[in-house]
Amino acid sequence: MRTDDRVVAYGGGWLDRAAALRGDPGWLAERLSDPASVVLPLWRDRCLVDSARAPVRRPAVDAVELLAAADGTVFLGLDAGRAVFAADLSGLDGDEACALADAAEAVDVRALVGGLEPAEAAVQAYAKGLLHWHRGQRFCGACGAATVAGPGGQTRSCAGSGCGRLLFPRIEPAVIMLVEAPGEPGRCLLARHRGAAEDSWSTLAGFVEIGESLEDAVRREVSEEAGVAVGEVTYQGSQAWPFPAGLMVGFRATAVSTRVRVDGDEVVEARWFTRAELRDRVAAGRPLGRIDSIDRHLLRSWLDGRG
Ligand SMILES: [Zn+2]
């Protein structure tokens, strides 16, 4: 079970990413023939797990057949000196992938995260995000020629003549914010999103657009989704969000007025909650944010504040 609730899910990874070494084909080949090295097989964005729902880790030297069948193998980093690779079995059907990996089933990391150590979830999420990026970048967006993975899998390059474009894994930043009302009593703004269950309230969030600062994105999203103008915006923390390639950046924002006017599209309802109301909800067994999301930390830190 997870032992440290202070770590934001998909963070706290233990890997040394060994940036100075990971592009060296000779060093990587040595790591693949090192009996201490391990391979994590994944299938179409899912973790391959054993019958106890533990992610499969195969010694690299025993995974020759698996590596040969993989669409790609990437180097993730060093775990206390032992190399960790991820292999993409997405080209196989699910039963073939499980058989080759000696896995019981393929499961989304979000379904596992409550039962994994944070660092284990972080590595699985990292593997998922990086392999997903490779699958989606097989052709050059500039000239249309095929691209090839660089050593270790942290880059791809276009093989088209006269192009040679170098591609790096893209991260899509999003902001997530706890909006606080001005003055007393302390209240925070939570929203019910389209498709969410009745009485399911969460913080506002949205993608950062080109040409925006993170603070600009916070103000725009709160204005668009809830019709609330925001003044001060303060950074709280961030979270890797590999679904498939996000980075969630968490903020506390202070509204300049309390009138709410939802967009009716993404957000169907939004209202202000006092700390007492949120504590009552927690006491009644209602979840305070998602188990794997930074919104839980934003809510908890606000709840632990004054009032
Ligand atoms: Zn190209």
Side-chain angles (χ1 to χ4, degrees), residues 128-145:
K128 171 188 169 172
L130 189 54
L131 293 177
H132 182 97
W133 175 73
H134 279 280
R135 286 201 303 281
Q137 298 292 322
R138 288 181 292 181
F139 298 94
C140 175
C143 77

Side-chain angles (χ1 to χ4, degrees), residues 46-302:
R46 289 173 171 245
C47 308
L48 291 170
V49 297
D50 64 19
S51 56
R53 298 202 119 200
V56 170
R57 295 166 72 89
R58 294 280 300 276
V61 291
D62 294 340
V64 174
E65 195 184 348
L66 187 156
L67 291 169
D71 293 323
T73 299
V74 296
F75 170 75
L76 299 177
L78 297 170
D79 171 9
R82 303 184 337 152
V84 181
F85 293 88
D88 191 350
L89 300 181
S90 297
L92 307 177
D93 71 31
D95 289 343
E96 287 174 331
C98 284
L100 198 54
D102 203 14
E105 58 178 327
V107 182
D108 191 286
V109 68
R110 297 192 80 168
L112 297 175
V113 72
L116 292 180
E117 288 293 334
E120 182 75 38
V123 171
Q124 288 290 327
Y126 169 27
K128 171 188 169 172
L130 189 54
L131 293 177
H132 182 97
W133 175 73
H134 279 280
R135 286 201 303 281
Q137 298 292 322
R138 288 181 292 181
F139 298 94
C140 175
C143 77
T147 63
V148 292
Q154 296 290 335
T155 59
R156 294 186 74 87
S157 57
C158 174
S161 60
C163 182
R165 189 177 189 195
L166 199 55
L167 309 175
F168 295 93
R170 291 291 174 91
I171 295 165
E172 294 156 359
V175 289
I176 182 165
M177 43 276 175
L178 185 136
V179 182
E180 194 171 30
E184 298 293 337
R187 291 182 296 165
C188 76
L189 183 66
L190 298 180
R192 207 160 56 74
H193 291 81
R194 181 166 299 284
E198 195 70 24
D199 200 35
S200 172
W201 299 89
S202 57
T203 51
L204 295 169
F207 284 107
V208 182
E209 296 188 354
I210 290 175
E212 281 185 321
S213 69
L214 298 169
E215 292 84 352
D216 290 341
V218 169
R219 295 189 177 99
R220 176 183 53 75
E221 283 288 344
V222 178
S223 172
E224 285 176 1
E225 294 189 349
V228 172
V230 157
E232 189 179 352
V233 173
T234 311
Y235 174 72
Q236 299 282 290
S238 67
Q239 176 181 35
W241 191 250
F243 304 100
L247 172 68
M248 298 294 280
V249 189
F251 292 91
R252 175 88 59 92
T254 306
V256 298
S257 68
T258 56
R259 193 173 74 99
V260 175
R261 190 186 66 255
V262 297
D263 66 7
D265 180 18
E266 287 185 55
V267 171
V268 292
E269 192 178 358
R271 72 172 184 85
W272 300 97
F273 288 78
T274 64
R275 287 184 173 85
E277 282 178 283
L278 284 190
R279 288 192 190 106
D280 286 348
R281 289 176 64 81
V282 172
R286 300 199 182 279
L288 193 66
R290 289 189 58 105
I291 187 171
D292 69 339
S293 167
I294 191 173
D295 73 340
R296 165 183 254 226
H297 295 259
L298 295 176
L299 285 159
R300 282 210 174 146
S301 75
W302 183 77

